[in-house]
Amino acid sequence: MASVERTDPAPSAPAVTGNVLSRLRQGGLADLAVGLVVPVTLLLAWEVAGRAGWISTKLLPAPSTVLAAIATLVESGELWTHVWATLWRVLVGFGLGVAAGTAIGALTGYSTLARRLLDPTIQALRNIPSIAWVPLFILWFGIFETSKVLLIAVGVFFPVYLNLASAIHDVDRKLVEVARVYRYNGWQMVTRVLLPAALPTYVIGLRSGLGLGWMFVVAAEIMGASEGLGYLLVDGQMSGRTPVILGSITLFAILGKMTDLALARATAPLAAWQDGFKGKG
Amino acid sequence: MLRLTDVAKRYANGYLALSGISLGVGRGDILALVGGSGCGKSTLLRLVSGLDQPTGGLVELDGSPVTGPRPDIAVVFQEPRLMPWLKIADNVAFGLTGVRRAEKYQLVADALERVGLTRFATALPRQLSGGMAQRVALARALVTRPKVLLLDEPFSALDALTRADLQDHLVDVWSGYPPEERPTLVLVTHDIDEALVLADRVVVLAGNPGRVHVEEAVILSRQGRRDDERLPALRTRLLEALRAAQRAGQDARREEPGPAPSPSFREQPA
Ligand SMILES: Nc1ncnc2c1ncn2[C@@H]1O[C@H](COP(=O)(O)OP(=O)(O)OP(=O)(O)O)[C@@H](O)[C@H]1O
Ligand SMILES: [Mg+2]
């Protein structure tokens, strides 16, 4: 939307002043430190328990063993192949799912006719468990990338669609009326009122979509793949290498968290105008 | 000139909210519409704004019928209704679609200056007080240079002091335009003092369906009107007219044949 340059120095109101960047950075580091307390303690306890022989290292190898397994994979260069294969599938599937979910969500959110027509079907499809799609997708699209990426896209689609459609549907009627006074057409209404108003909820949809994307990539890769972290899981199981299984699980956790963080960072400005509670203390 | 001829509005559920409304408002005049809750003031304003269509009669502006929202009619609602994600300047520019950037910038700067909020151009609506937000809404409505500005209880959500401030402010902004460029104001209020302080003419609406009951010209000068010694007498007369109109409305309701809408339904705000 065309932004009008300001005419005066900054607003004197409670505007943002001071060194925002440094404050943000401090806050980020402190948050990180607090967030690490629980996992680090658990890992240490686990390591100690393994070394002391309180738990079977065959079934639950100590963190150091898992780390060593990952290191071996790194050295052989295998790890990057697997990580890249999985990451690529998730990102492409996410992109497709977001595109479809956004387009159809905006349509059914805006048009009552489109909602009456499409929403019941979409709601019914939503209830099909992810795994159930796998055989069908393999039959339709083969065992290679297409079926996997599409499966992930399906997983991403639903939360994006649901959040966007319901957010648009719930946009304050009073704001819409203002746009009507100024004779906004359908396109202007969607792009300048409905989508901006729906953005905070839409972002929630994006993030849960990404989460589901990671779940679906495991389903896709377990069912048949020659590379990827899901393949590594199955391979570890077949060859009885527990450290490899735990290593892939760890990598899933790290990659999932990192992509979510990147998405959260990238979308934070979109919802910055919200005047929310934002937590206490 | 804004003209209403025998305007009626029956809602889709069969409820007749207005009937037989005929009014004329001269260019640059300020008309106040007062009346009890539920008598159809907001309904009337929505018909004039083109957001709703009358089911009978005609609304015309300068000879052309109002059939929908149009660029020469602007509205200020009871709430500011600012887009919370847009900076104040962009909120003011909200109605300036199809205006070139440079011109838009100039118009917005001018409108913000008129309402005294230049410093807040880049603030977000949540950083503003209720009174300031309503001034932004006023700037947004005026920036398109409408011939008619409709205000539906624009100050009723504010405290008494802020309300008096904004009333004066509205008159200042309005008189800030050269006489031939002043917009016609139609102000809905249930506050008789507000009507008397602002308007050239007060119309009392009452009854079920709402009708025009009294029209009273306010022939006081704009300067120092709040302290004018003729004001109390005028207020008393209008208050009595309003009471009489309401009583008449109630009597009419009692005698009304057929099933009347339930009282609880009548209380519902628009
Ligand atoms: N969309 C609608 N459908 C049916 N009835 C409606 C609708 N909108 C308003 N009404 C009814 O029309 C009557 C007039 O409503 P309106 O909002 O115009 O009153 P008002 O004079 O503005 O009241 P207030 O001072 O409380 O704002 C009310 O009885 C209301 O219930
Ligand atoms: Mg009203």
Side-chain angles (χ1 to χ4, degrees):
Chain A
M1 155 162 302
S3 155
V4 175
E5 288 87 354
R6 66 175 189 227
T7 49
D8 228 32
S12 72
V16 193
T17 49
N19 196 336
V20 185
L21 267 181
S22 83
R23 232 188 302 155
L24 264 185
R25 219 175 277 131
Q26 280 168 13
L29 275 186
D31 278 354
L32 194 66
V34 173
L36 282 176
V37 169
V38 171
V40 167
T41 313
L42 282 178
L43 281 176
L44 281 177
W46 176 7
E47 181 76 39
V48 169
R51 295 212 176 172
W54 296 335
I55 51 176
S56 153
T57 48
K58 263 220 154 45
L59 294 180
L60 193 60
S64 54
T65 322
V66 174
L67 217 59
I70 295 179
T72 317
L73 287 170
V74 171
E75 271 162 34
S76 69
E78 249 183 285
L79 188 74
W80 303 123
T81 321
H82 295 307
V83 165
W84 176 241
T86 300
L87 199 58
W88 184 86
R89 286 169 188 145
V90 171
L91 293 184
V92 175
F94 180 69
L96 290 176
V98 167
T102 306
I104 303 180
L107 185 68
T108 59
Y110 177 67
S111 150
T112 312
L113 177 67
R115 183 171 62 253
R116 304 243 292 285
L117 217 53
L118 296 175
D119 195 61
T121 313
I122 296 175
Q123 296 292 349
L125 291 176
R126 184 168 74 97
N127 290 313
I128 299 171
S130 55
I131 307 287
W133 291 108
V134 175
L136 194 64
F137 273 45
I138 289 177
L139 265 180
W140 282 354
F141 306 111
I143 55 164
F144 297 112
E145 295 307 313
T146 315
S147 60
K148 294 189 182 61
V149 164
L150 285 180
L151 185 70
I152 295 161
V154 166
V156 174
F157 171 82
F158 288 105
V160 173
Y161 166 82
L162 279 179
N163 279 282
L164 183 59
S166 74
I168 289 182
H169 194 235
D170 291 344
V171 170
D172 191 350
R173 189 184 52 78
K174 295 177 169 176
L175 296 184
V176 174
E177 209 166 71
V178 174
R180 277 189 58 210
V181 167
Y182 293 110
R183 293 161 300 125
Y184 275 36
N185 61 31
W187 175 252
Q188 291 171 319
M189 188 71 92
V190 169
T191 55
R192 300 197 193 173
V193 180
L194 299 179
L195 282 182
L199 268 183
T201 314
Y202 176 63
V203 166
I204 295 174
L206 290 183
R207 287 179 68 181
S208 37
L210 185 61
L212 276 184
W214 281 103
M215 280 173 66
F216 276 46
V217 79
V218 180
E221 289 180 346
I222 283 184
M223 297 303 282
S226 53
E227 54 185 33
L229 291 176
Y231 161 80
L232 215 54
L233 276 177
V234 180
D235 190 46
Q237 183 206 346
M238 296 296 187
S239 57
R241 288 183 293 163
T242 329
V244 172
I245 299 181
L246 280 169
S248 340
I249 291 178
T250 311
L251 285 168
F252 268 123
I254 293 173
L255 284 175
K257 179 68 199 167
M258 270 167 37
T259 48
D260 181 61
L261 201 66
L263 185 64
R265 283 277 160 86
T267 52
L270 298 181
W273 52 268
Q274 269 198 317
D275 198 8
F277 167 53
K278 300 201 171 92
K280 173 175 172 293
Chain B
M1 165 119 190
L2 179 67
R3 180 170 291 288
L4 282 73
T5 318
D6 203 22
V7 165
K9 175 68 184 179
R10 187 183 289 283
Y11 279 110
N13 60 12
Y15 181 68
L16 185 64
L18 292 170
S19 107
I21 306 275
S22 293
L23 274 177
V25 196
R27 176 121 178 89
D29 283 357
I30 304 185
L31 175 84
L33 281 171
V34 298
S37 188
C39 71
K41 304 182 297 293
S42 297
T43 303
L44 186 60
L45 223 53
R46 292 178 64 83
L47 298 181
V48 177
S49 69
L51 281 170
D52 253 332
Q53 302 305 317
T55 46
L58 191 61
V59 180
E60 288 166 298
L61 177 57
D62 294 338
S64 73
V66 176
T67 54
R70 41 191 275 179
D72 48 3
I73 301 182
V75 191
V76 172
F77 298 94
Q78 183 168 353
E79 329 78 19
R81 301 198 184 184
L82 305 179
M83 307 295 141
W85 57 90
L86 291 181
K87 300 204 171 103
I88 296 310
D90 292 322
N91 262 295
V92 174
F94 188 78
L96 290 173
T97 46
V99 176
R100 276 182 308 110
R101 239 186 117 82
E103 192 183 345
K104 192 187 280 191
Y105 169 81
Q106 201 46 54
L107 287 170
V108 169
D110 178 56
L112 278 175
E113 190 167 337
R114 277 181 198 277
V115 298
L117 287 174
T118 306
R119 288 188 309 143
F120 292 89
T122 58
L124 281 172
R126 64 158 191 244
Q127 296 170 303
L128 267 53
S129 70
M132 284 154 77
Q134 200 56 297
R135 269 149 68 196
V136 176
L138 183 62
R140 175 178 66 191
L142 287 172
V143 77
T144 56
R145 306 306 312 272
K147 287 186 200 157
V148 176
L149 176 57
L150 308 171
L151 305 110
D152 191 354
E153 301 190 28
F155 311 133
S156 64
L158 306 168
D159 65 276
L161 264 179
T162 314
R163 195 185 315 153
D165 267 357
L166 280 193
Q167 288 162 359
D168 294 343
H169 189 78
L170 178 64
V171 173
D172 285 349
V173 170
W174 177 83
S175 352
Y177 291 101
E180 65 281 2
E181 284 179 32
R182 280 179 198 155
T184 307
L185 302 190
V186 180
L187 170 84
V188 161
T189 175
H190 49 231
D191 178 351
I192 288 203
D193 287 315
E194 181 165 285
L196 285 172
V197 166
L198 294 174
D200 305 307
R201 196 148 56 95
V202 180
V203 166
V204 176
L205 220 59
N208 256 292
R211 292 169 189 283
V212 176
H213 270 251
V214 185
E215 287 195 48
E216 177 92 46
V218 185
I219 35 169
L220 308 178
S221 89
R222 294 216 160 274
Q223 297 294 309
R225 199 186 262 198
R226 275 183 209 282
D227 307 317
D228 197 299
E229 52 201 15
R230 286 165 295 179
L231 202 60
L234 209 50
R235 175 190 299 128
T236 315
R237 208 159 71 226
L238 262 178
L239 214 57
E240 264 162 20
L242 190 58
R243 289 215 191 89
Q246 243 153 18
R247 243 179 284 123
Q250 274 161 10
D251 292 346
R253 202 181 306 169
R254 243 174 261 130
E255 289 157 17
E256 199 174 284
S262 71
S264 67
F265 174 73
R266 280 192 187 136
E267 299 301 323
Q268 278 175 9

